[in-house]
Structures are given as C-alpha cells and as structure tokens.
Amino acid sequence: MSRPSAIVTGASRGIGRAIAIDLARTHSVIATYKGRRDAAESLQSQAGVEIFQCDISSAQSRAGLMEFAHTKFSHLDLLVNNAGMAPRERRDVIDATEESFDELIATNLKGPHFLTREAARWMLEARPELKSRPELEARPDAQAAAACIVFITSVSAYTVSVNRAEYCISKAGLSMSAAIWAQRLAGEGIRVFEIRPGVIRTDMIETVAKTYEERIAAGLVPQRRMGEPADVARAVRSIADGLLDYSTGQILNVDGGFQLRNL
C-alpha cells in the first residue's frame, strides 16, 4: 500500500523540520532547504525523507522542485508552505530598504503563492484517479479528503512591528493568498488551511529570544510560555489526518492565546 505524499518547504530547521519529522511517520515526504545542506542531510538521516534544494523565490527553482516531486510521487496529497525568512536586518520602516522588501515579498509571498498554483494544478489533474487508491478506500469521504494545502503564516499577518514592516506585509499577503486558494479549490475537493504560529522557539528569533521570554512572562502570551516547533507540527498533523476536512479556509492560531483581546 502506497503512503500519502507530502512536500514541506523550508524543512531543514525549526518549524519545517518538526513538521517533516512528524509527517514522515505516515507520509512519503520531500523536504526542501535553501542553503543548509548539512541540516537537510541530518533530517534525511533522522526521518528518512527525500531532500531537495530549492530557493522558493525563484520560478526556476520551484519548477525544479515540482519536476523532482513528479519523479518520486504519482500524486501529491499535501503541500506545506513553510519556507520563509525574516529581514536580514531589523530597521525602522522609515529606514527600511526596497531591496529587503523585494526579498521578503519574493520569498514569503510570491514563492509560496505560485508554488501552490503548481501543486493545485497537479492535484486537480489527479482527482479522477483517487477513487482507485487503496489507502483511501476506508474513508467514506476519500475523494474529498485526499488533498490539502497548508500555509504557515504568522501572527505578524495582523500584528504591527515597525522594525520589520516588510515581514508583516509579506505575511499579511500570504494570509490572503491562503484565503484565495481556499475559496478557489473548495469545490474541487482540495482543502486549504492557514496556520498562524505565535512566538516559536527557532533560530529565526534567536537574537531576540531573551526579550520575548521576558515579555511572555509579563503576559504577552496568556499561556505564559514560548511555543515550540512541535506545537505547529501537531496542527499540521490534524489536517494531514483528515480531522478538519469540513473546515477549509480556517485559520489555526498556534500562539498560546496571543490573539485574544482583554480589558
């Protein structure tokens, strides 16, 4: 019996790595990385995933990823758009550069948006074949549950940080991309979800981790702890297991209650 297939972008470290490790228990996984081949190879050894170098901001690199996936998979069940980056330097919006803006928009928004387009085309082409797949026979809603796309965005999609405006704008745009794809693909039996992590312990926040710890202790996050990559991986797992098949377009806040408002 073949295993479901999944692509996880930006999977060599942090949130993406946790997602890839968890999915590898049940799925055949392609994990992408941009520059840290050593981290990707350690993931491959640990979880048994396929690895592929991909600059998500490049159309040519995205095309190479899809070509590679077609050699490994007969169909695609799950795409996790996780790859992203923070500004190379935090600057007040007054001083931020167009170069940084362009880089973050290309990586955090354009890349996953157009990778989703290619994945969706592949998923749509495969729809007539799904009824005959033995791994789905036990599911009464097998055809509807077969394909999912997940966007990993951020609480920065709605939270202002004036010293990394380009990051916030890119994540806000990605949130809308997720909603657009959810609407477009709902009638085709493809579920689309947005996961908004809060403050998660990864190397992306390493330089400001102490500040975040202090603010969390002071009440920034109601649950009074920093999130872990595994917290996000568990949210992806619920989608991969088909537990949210009647919830397309939903935003899953994995943020310890950060999104709550109180007086």
Side-chain angles (χ1 to χ4, degrees), residues 60-77:
Q60 182 177 2
S61 193
R62 294 192 301 270
L65 169 61
M66 297 309 291
E67 289 175 10
F68 179 75
H70 274 83
T71 68
K72 299 296 180 180
F73 304 148
S74 62
H75 56 272
L76 181 62
D77 294 300

Side-chain angles (χ1 to χ4, degrees), residues 122-162:
W122 188 7
M123 290 172 172
L124 290 171
E125 289 171 1
R127 304 311 293 162
E129 304 169 10
L130 292 174
K131 289 183 179 180
S132 63
R133 284 174 49 197
E135 68 268 30
L136 298 176
E137 285 182 356
R139 294 285 300 277
D141 57 340
Q143 186 171 0
C148 292
I149 298 169
V150 178
F151 289 79
I152 308 296
T153 64
S154 168
V155 294
S156 292
Y158 64 90
T159 304
V160 171
S161 297
V162 296

Side-chain angles (χ1 to χ4, degrees), residues 196-232:
R196 284 184 183 167
V199 183
I200 306 296
R201 196 185 309 278
T202 68
D203 57 3
M204 182 178 286
I205 68 158
E206 187 174 5
T207 60
V208 291
K210 183 178 179 181
T211 300
Y212 277 131
E213 291 281 15
E214 292 170 353
R215 294 186 66 190
I216 289 169
L220 177 68
V221 175
Q223 287 190 234
R224 301 297 177 98
R225 74 167 176 87
M226 190 177 292
E228 302 293 340
D231 293 314
V232 184

Side-chain angles (χ1 to χ4, degrees), residues 165-246:
E166 60 269 63
Y167 182 79
C168 297
I169 292 168
S170 69
K171 290 299 185 178
L174 190 61
S175 178
M176 178 53 71
S177 178
I180 288 168
W181 284 114
Q183 176 65 43
R184 173 60 182 85
L185 298 174
E188 308 283 357
I190 298 171
R191 308 296 184 247
V192 180
F193 301 87
E194 177 185 351
I195 296 177
R196 284 184 183 167
V199 183
I200 306 296
R201 196 185 309 278
T202 68
D203 57 3
M204 182 178 286
I205 68 158
E206 187 174 5
T207 60
V208 291
K210 183 178 179 181
T211 300
Y212 277 131
E213 291 281 15
E214 292 170 353
R215 294 186 66 190
I216 289 169
L220 177 68
V221 175
Q223 287 190 234
R224 301 297 177 98
R225 74 167 176 87
M226 190 177 292
E228 302 293 340
D231 293 314
V232 184
R234 282 189 285 271
V236 175
R237 167 57 59 187
S238 68
I239 294 167
D241 284 351
L243 302 180
L244 300 176
D245 279 352
Y246 196 57

Side-chain angles (χ1 to χ4, degrees), residues 42-147:
S42 72
L43 171 64
Q44 186 177 43
S45 297
Q46 179 180 359
V49 302
E50 298 279 354
I51 60 173
F52 186 84
Q53 187 171 24
C54 179
D55 177 357
I56 204 70
S57 69
S58 162
Q60 182 177 2
S61 193
R62 294 192 301 270
L65 169 61
M66 297 309 291
E67 289 175 10
F68 179 75
H70 274 83
T71 68
K72 299 296 180 180
F73 304 148
S74 62
H75 56 272
L76 181 62
D77 294 300
L78 175 62
L79 169 65
V80 182
N81 285 305
N82 172 74
M85 65 179 294
R88 297 181 185 275
E89 181 181 1
R90 292 190 177 210
R91 290 188 177 188
D92 187 291
V93 65
I94 290 291
D95 303 314
T97 67
E98 287 192 37
E99 291 78 12
S100 180
F101 186 93
D102 290 344
E103 183 177 34
L104 265 73
I105 292 296
T107 300
N108 294 354
L109 176 55
K110 185 183 77 172
H113 179 79
F114 284 102
L115 181 62
T116 296
R117 183 189 66 178
E118 299 311 306
R121 287 173 173 173
W122 188 7
M123 290 172 172
L124 290 171
E125 289 171 1
R127 304 311 293 162
E129 304 169 10
L130 292 174
K131 289 183 179 180
S132 63
R133 284 174 49 197
E135 68 268 30
L136 298 176
E137 285 182 356
R139 294 285 300 277
D141 57 340
Q143 186 171 0

